[in-house]
Amino acid sequence: MTGSIAAFIDALPKAELHVHLEGTLEASLKMELAHRNDHPLKDSSAEAIRAGYTYHDLLSFLNLYYEGVELLRTEQDFYDLCYQYLRKVASQNVLYAEMFFDPQLHTRRGIPFATVITGITRARKAAERDFGIRSQLIMCFVREMSAESADETFTQALPYLDDIIGVGLDSYETGNPPAKFAHVFARARAAGLHVTMHCDLDQENTHEHIRQALDDLASERIDHGLNVLDRPELVARARERDIVFTICPSPNDVIRPGCGRRDLRGMLDAGLRITINSDDPGYMNSAYMTECLRSAQQTADLTRAELLAISRNAFDSAWIPDAERRQYLDALDRFAALQA
Ligand SMILES: [Zn+2]
């Protein structure tokens, strides 16, 4: 990468649309939380924790992720988690972030829904005040848990809907299609929330899952979804619906090594709209937005025009009022004009 394109990516005004707050848990914060909450850790240093981060597929990744989640207990823990992520990405010229959180991973351990969302919401406000970064929350349902549990979670969220912009679907996909959650997604849509869902890479029945997301659940975006490229009819449907795919280079490089160029170029050549995102940076070599964009640029030789288009896709498809969108797009236009 030439110095100038690295500087271009650093300064590019960015939005992130696919990051799991629980996946931003850095090893250093793990150490702090373990000490604070008197929770024994098997590793005695942040380096040792990071050295243990080996995974090769979705399930082995989720095992690591769920182990880390156990450390989050108090409102202050959730505050620190969210504040540290927003502080980090604000330093990378991320102007706006839509962040996933998984309340069921906490409520099933006896932690009240209110503890989770109050800590996160307080951190969002503090980060906006301190760093100027705006953010919103997408509540994900944990797909290996029951549809009833998702419904109960939505009911628990009702007093907090002003702090939640949309709903999503994540975690273990095998045997857990989008259709399983049709009822709770219908409730969310009726309450005025936006809808997105994960269709992770190379999952069993992935094409049917993508079809359900597109046709049956009216998903507005698809998180990952690269297997769309296997089926021309799904590509056509996604283009017709102007779907944005939130692509995450870090996990893709692990699950499908060596295919990054083919995948990214495939999406662009098919005329599909993509964004580049970090997913779970705490577990993925601390690759936040800038690192992920650099990686994608190098892998697929993305041009400046393509990087600008990717950033524009993120602002265009963000779930924000038009006046706010205009401000971000103006910032992007000013940046582009300076480069010309
Ligand atoms: Zn994800």
Side-chain angles (χ1 to χ4, degrees):
M1 186 182 302
T2 64
S4 60
I5 198 142
F8 179 93
I9 290 171
D10 287 352
L12 178 70
K14 306 169 187 72
E16 171 139 71
L17 302 182
H18 184 158
V19 60
H20 301 265
L21 271 178
E22 291 89 344
T24 69
L25 180 57
E26 287 283 351
S28 53
L29 183 57
K30 276 189 172 179
M31 296 291 292
E32 205 178 312
L33 296 180
H35 180 70
R36 183 188 295 174
N37 295 328
D38 203 17
H39 182 105
L41 282 181
K42 61 179 186 294
D43 298 307
S44 57
S45 69
E47 293 70 34
I49 293 174
R50 279 192 289 267
Y53 289 165
T54 53
Y55 62 93
H56 56 279
D57 60 9
L58 183 58
L59 186 59
S60 52
F61 172 75
L62 288 172
N63 287 334
L64 283 175
Y65 181 82
Y66 290 169
E67 201 180 300
V69 158
E70 297 287 324
L71 292 163
L72 295 158
R73 303 267 175 89
T74 67
E75 186 188 314
Q76 187 64 36
D77 299 345
F78 289 97
Y79 175 94
D80 290 345
L81 179 75
C82 181
Y83 190 81
Q84 290 193 11
Y85 162 73
L86 289 170
R87 180 176 62 197
K88 173 69 185 178
V89 295
S91 77
Q92 299 193 330
N93 289 310
V94 173
L95 308 182
Y96 173 77
E98 281 171 14
M99 309 173 297
F100 296 126
F101 75 122
D102 287 308
Q104 287 157 291
L105 297 183
H106 313 299
T107 53
R108 74 179 178 188
R109 298 182 291 129
I111 294 168
F113 188 96
T115 299
V116 180
I117 197 159
T118 306
I120 294 172
T121 302
R122 204 158 54 77
R124 288 176 42 225
K125 289 179 180 158
E128 183 169 357
R129 178 195 67 212
D130 296 346
F131 314 117
I133 184 169
R134 282 258 306 136
S135 63
Q136 297 198 91
L137 271 183
I138 302 172
M139 179 170 75
C140 277
F141 302 112
V142 175
R143 64 200 309 165
E144 69 265 30
M145 294 179 73
S146 67
E148 292 73 27
S149 172
D151 260 307
E152 275 167 35
T153 303
F154 190 74
T155 301
Q156 289 171 353
L158 289 175
Y160 303 97
L161 289 192
D162 285 351
D163 295 319
I164 298 172
I165 192 66
V167 289
L169 185 63
D170 67 3
S171 296
Y172 191 56
E173 191 163 335
T174 306
N176 298 299
K180 174 178 165 185
F181 300 95
H183 182 257
V184 76
F185 276 101
R187 282 180 76 195
R189 276 195 304 273
L193 297 187
H194 292 278
V195 169
T196 186
M197 55 198 67
H198 281 54
C199 291
D200 272 89
L201 195 55
D202 294 340
Q203 297 293 300
E204 191 178 292
N205 295 329
T206 185
H207 305 111
E208 172 59 11
H209 292 188
I210 293 170
R211 191 205 63 74
Q212 289 177 7
L214 288 171
D215 287 342
D216 301 344
L217 281 95
S219 194
E220 295 162 64
R221 302 199 290 244
I222 293 186
D223 302 309
H224 301 293
L226 281 171
N227 290 93
V228 71
L229 291 175
D230 309 334
R231 298 285 169 89
E233 70 275 16
L234 292 177
V235 169
R237 186 75 181 117
R239 287 179 55 174
E240 190 183 303
R241 291 207 42 224
D242 207 16
I243 293 290
V244 163
F245 292 80
T246 62
I247 304 298
C248 305
S250 299
N252 294 353
D253 286 346
V254 172
I255 291 165
R256 205 188 245 184
C259 298
R261 182 184 180 86
R262 185 197 70 189
D263 289 339
L264 284 173
R265 281 281 151 220
M267 295 296 277
L268 294 171
D269 292 348
L272 294 169
R273 294 206 300 157
I274 63 166
T275 64
I276 298 293
N277 309 268
S278 70
D279 211 0
D280 299 285
Y283 293 89
M284 296 169 178
N285 301 316
S286 300
Y288 289 85
M289 277 298 286
T290 292
E291 291 81 8
C292 291
L293 280 162
R294 283 184 184 178
S295 158
Q297 193 280 326
Q298 284 180 312
T299 302
D301 286 324
L302 297 175
T303 64
R304 285 170 170 76
E306 285 169 333
L307 289 162
L308 283 167
I310 285 169
S311 215
R312 184 172 298 275
N313 286 342
F315 289 121
D316 275 341
S317 57
W319 294 330
I320 48 178
D322 283 342
E324 184 178 349
R325 192 186 324 281
R326 195 60 258 160
Q327 286 179 19
Y328 299 140
L329 291 173
D330 284 349
L332 194 61
D333 287 342
R334 283 196 300 275
F335 171 79
L338 282 175
Q339 311 296 322

